[in-house]
């Protein structure tokens, strides 16, 4: 069992040249910076809408958390401000775009790419011969720096109902469902969903997820029944943001056909059913992904329970957790000929605090070519969470955690 500490580290002042945005007001059209774990840095974004629940719709991320957004300091020249208003993102150094290059990136290597943010993501990943390397509507989220965020998709307890992997739900691809109103509401179609999922409907109920639901998701719900595991219903767009970028549902269907063993592997939460959603009989506008809920909590939520910035020498619980995560990633790689998850970061890793059982979620990009592998991507996440000494857990978080993670991955004993 993971031992916990009562307090979480406090968030300090933000980095130089950028004003803290925790309590700031944002306006539509305002240019800000958004912390992206996928790109391992802040990217420039434009505010599209301020939502009633406190989240922000950006041009590169829907329903982004305020804690991941920072205002650009108002010290730029008029010319710089005009340039900042262009639809741009900060590109990674040339070394990241060309993994074979050994040249150290200079300051001028951080060029601006004047394209839509989704197209930028696509341009950095080699395309698959039949589908895109970047799933549209992908539910990954940037790392969450302390203090704690709203409750995630699962609680700290094991999901209600039966364990995962015991039941059949019929063919992976289900029929098209129809949405008659302007907003899709699965609670209005419980009997139909239960019939299509081959499960009893007598005691079934659906509740919407609260708190953060993933940046590109249109909705998250839980379908619970005493006779079955808790099911997560994730609504994503069915429209490609770019002709070369397949939707998440398309990627998952490709994986089911080419890596069928992955479908039943309890190391991941592969969907048990994929539905398309149309409105008033028109062409599909959404995909509904149904999967059995992972046990435990996201690693991102366990970190502040295991590590205090005010007591950086107490790293035993954190290192134990990271050792188990490293060992599980190695197990995944060995099982599938070193195929990579594609977005191996703490939001997508669930751990049962009682048993240390690890489950990987959001696997729509599994097996596709990426410029950075899972091990390096996860290490980069730890460094990003450690911050610069003012924002984040502090340097010792990654300095102590990374060796433990690598020891687990390499099959070595946990370092003392």
């Amino acid at each position: 069992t993971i031992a916990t500490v009562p307090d979480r580290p406090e968030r300090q002042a933000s980095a130089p040249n950028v004003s803290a945005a925790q309590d700031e007001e944002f306006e539509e059209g305002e240019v800000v910076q958004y912390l992206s774990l996928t790109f391992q840095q802040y990217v420039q974004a434009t505010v599209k809408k301020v939502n009633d629940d406190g989240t922000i719709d950006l041009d590169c991320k829907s329903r982004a958390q305020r804690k991941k957004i920072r205002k650009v300091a108002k010290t730029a020249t008029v010319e710089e401000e005009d340039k900042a208003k262009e639809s741009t993102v900060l590109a990674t150094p040339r070394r990241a775009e060309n993994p074979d290059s050994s040249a150290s990136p200079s300051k001028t290597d951080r060029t601006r790419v004047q394209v839509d943010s989704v197209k930028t993501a696509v341009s950095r990943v080699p395309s698959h011969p039949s589908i895109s390397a970047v799933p549209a509507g992908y539910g990954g989220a940037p790392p969450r720096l302390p203090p704690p965020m709203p409750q995630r998709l699962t609680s700290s307890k094991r999901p209600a109902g039966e364990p995962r992997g015991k039941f059949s739900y019929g063919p992976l691809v289900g029929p098209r469902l129809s949405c008659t109103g302007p907003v899709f509401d699965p609670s209005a179609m419980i009997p139909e969903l239960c019939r299509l999922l081959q499960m009893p409907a007598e005691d079934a109920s659906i509740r919407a997820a609260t708190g953060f639901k993933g940046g590109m998701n249109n909705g998250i719900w839980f379908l619970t029944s005493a006779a079955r595991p808790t099911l997560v219903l994730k609504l994503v767009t069915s429209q490609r943001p770019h002709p070369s970028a397949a939707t998440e549902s398309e990627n998952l269907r490709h994986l089911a056909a080419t890596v069928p063993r992955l479908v039943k592997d309890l190391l991941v939460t592969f969907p048990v059913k994929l539905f398309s959603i149309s409105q008033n009989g028109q062409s599909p506008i959404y995909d509904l992904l149904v999967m059995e809920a992972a046990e435990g909590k996201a690693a991102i939520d366990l970190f502040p329970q295991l590590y205090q910035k005010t007591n950086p020498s107490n790293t035993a619980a954190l290192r134990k957790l990271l050792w188990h995560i490293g060992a599980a990633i190695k197990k995944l790689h060995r099982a599938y000929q070193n195929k990579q998850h594609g977005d191996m970061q703490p939001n997508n890793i669930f751990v049962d605090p009682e048993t240390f059982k690890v489950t990987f979620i959001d696997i729509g990009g599994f097996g596709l070519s990426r410029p950075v592998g899972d091990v390096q991507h996860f290490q980069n996440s730890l460094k990003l969470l450690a911050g610069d000494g003012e924002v984040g857990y502090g340097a010792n978080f990654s300095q102590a955690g990374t060796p433990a993670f690598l020891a687990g991955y390499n099959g070595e004993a946990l370092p003392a």
Side-chain angles (χ1 to χ4, degrees):
T1 302
I2 292 177
T4 62
V5 292
D7 298 322
R8 301 188 180 190
E10 296 295 328
R11 181 171 183 172
Q12 307 297 323
S14 59
N17 299 324
V18 180
S19 59
Q22 174 68 19
D23 300 318
E24 297 276 3
E25 295 296 328
F26 296 97
E27 299 180 356
E28 293 184 9
E30 180 178 357
V31 176
V32 295
Q33 290 188 336
Y34 170 70
L35 182 61
S36 168
L37 183 57
T38 300
F39 294 117
Q40 303 289 329
Q41 63 181 12
Y42 278 95
V43 298
Q44 197 152 291
T46 302
V47 175
K48 295 297 185 183
K49 179 183 178 183
V50 179
N51 299 310
D52 294 336
D53 61 1
T55 60
I56 309 292
D57 285 349
L58 304 174
D59 59 345
C60 65
K61 195 76 164 181
S62 298
R63 310 189 74 81
Q65 294 174 307
R66 284 177 176 265
K67 294 177 186 285
K68 300 298 157 291
I69 304 171
R70 63 186 189 183
K71 284 179 172 286
V72 179
K74 299 179 180 179
T75 58
T77 65
V78 174
E79 180 182 1
E80 289 171 337
E81 290 177 350
D82 290 339
K83 291 181 179 179
K85 293 178 182 179
E86 298 173 1
S87 176
T88 63
V89 296
L90 295 175
T92 55
R94 292 173 188 169
R95 179 173 55 184
E97 294 187 275
N98 181 9
D100 295 330
S101 173
S102 59
S104 298
S106 65
K107 192 172 183 180
T108 58
D109 284 327
R110 293 186 175 275
T111 57
R112 292 184 299 115
V113 182
Q114 192 170 341
V115 293
D116 180 83
S117 58
V118 174
K119 295 180 182 179
T120 303
V122 173
S123 69
R124 294 178 186 170
V125 183
S127 60
H128 189 276
S130 59
I131 59 176
S132 166
V134 180
Y138 201 63
R144 292 187 294 162
L145 302 176
M149 293 290 148
Q151 179 181 353
R152 292 190 56 79
L153 303 188
T154 66
S155 68
S156 60
K157 298 181 180 180
R158 189 178 300 277
E162 295 292 326
R164 293 193 301 130
K166 291 182 58 177
F167 297 93
S168 172
Y169 299 88
L172 175 64
V173 180
R176 181 185 300 181
L177 303 178
S178 179
C179 170
T180 56
V183 179
F184 176 74
D185 181 11
S187 62
M189 53 178 63
I190 291 178
E192 183 179 7
L193 285 172
C194 289
R195 177 181 63 82
L196 295 172
L197 292 168
Q198 301 181 6
M199 60 183 292
E202 288 75 15
D203 64 341
S205 63
I206 288 181
R207 63 180 176 86
T210 58
F212 187 63
K213 306 176 183 65
M216 298 303 293
N217 297 331
N218 296 91
I220 293 283
W221 299 266
F222 298 103
L223 173 58
T224 59
S225 171
R228 293 293 179 93
T230 296
L231 297 178
V232 179
L233 313 180
K234 183 171 79 167
L235 190 69
V236 298
T237 181
S238 64
Q239 308 303 309
R240 289 186 170 193
H242 188 271
S244 66
T247 66
E248 187 171 357
S249 179
E250 289 172 331
N251 284 338
L252 290 166
R253 279 179 279 168
H254 176 81
L255 284 170
T258 57
V259 195
R261 187 159 56 94
L262 188 67
V263 175
K264 297 294 184 181
D265 194 336
L266 295 183
L267 195 57
V268 301
T269 55
F270 199 95
V272 299
K273 188 74 74 175
L274 304 174
F275 295 109
S276 61
I277 310 293
S278 64
Q279 190 173 36
N280 298 320
Q282 303 296 319
S283 299
I285 55 175
Y286 297 120
D287 288 317
L288 185 67
L289 317 181
V290 183
M291 60 215 80
E292 293 179 333
E295 295 90 345
K297 295 184 70 175
I300 197 75
D301 291 326
L302 291 173
F303 289 160
Q305 299 178 33
L306 308 181
Y307 182 84
Q308 277 187 306
K309 186 176 181 180
T310 55
N311 186 16
S313 61
N314 184 15
T315 62
L318 173 69
R319 290 186 295 111
K320 185 176 181 180
L321 172 68
L322 291 172
W323 187 93
H324 281 278
I325 290 174
I329 293 175
K330 185 65 173 184
K331 181 179 179 181
L332 181 71
H333 290 171
R334 281 179 174 171
Y336 297 100
Q337 294 75 49
N338 205 39
K339 287 183 170 64
Q340 305 292 293
H341 176 282
D343 192 16
M344 190 64 76
Q345 44 107 336
N347 291 285
N348 293 334
I349 303 171
F350 275 62
V351 183
D352 187 325
E354 300 293 329
T355 65
F356 285 98
K357 181 183 183 297
V358 176
T359 308
F360 302 110
I361 69 169
D362 280 350
I363 60 166
F366 182 82
L368 301 176
S369 178
R370 302 281 178 166
V372 176
D374 289 344
V375 173
Q376 186 59 55
H377 194 69
F378 188 82
Q379 291 182 79
N380 292 345
S381 300
L382 296 182
K383 292 178 182 178
L384 194 60
L385 288 168
D388 58 6
E390 295 183 343
V391 178
Y393 289 104
N396 199 51
F397 176 83
S398 61
Q399 291 172 0
T402 298
F405 165 71
L406 292 175
Y409 185 82
N410 294 323
E412 302 168 354
L414 180 65

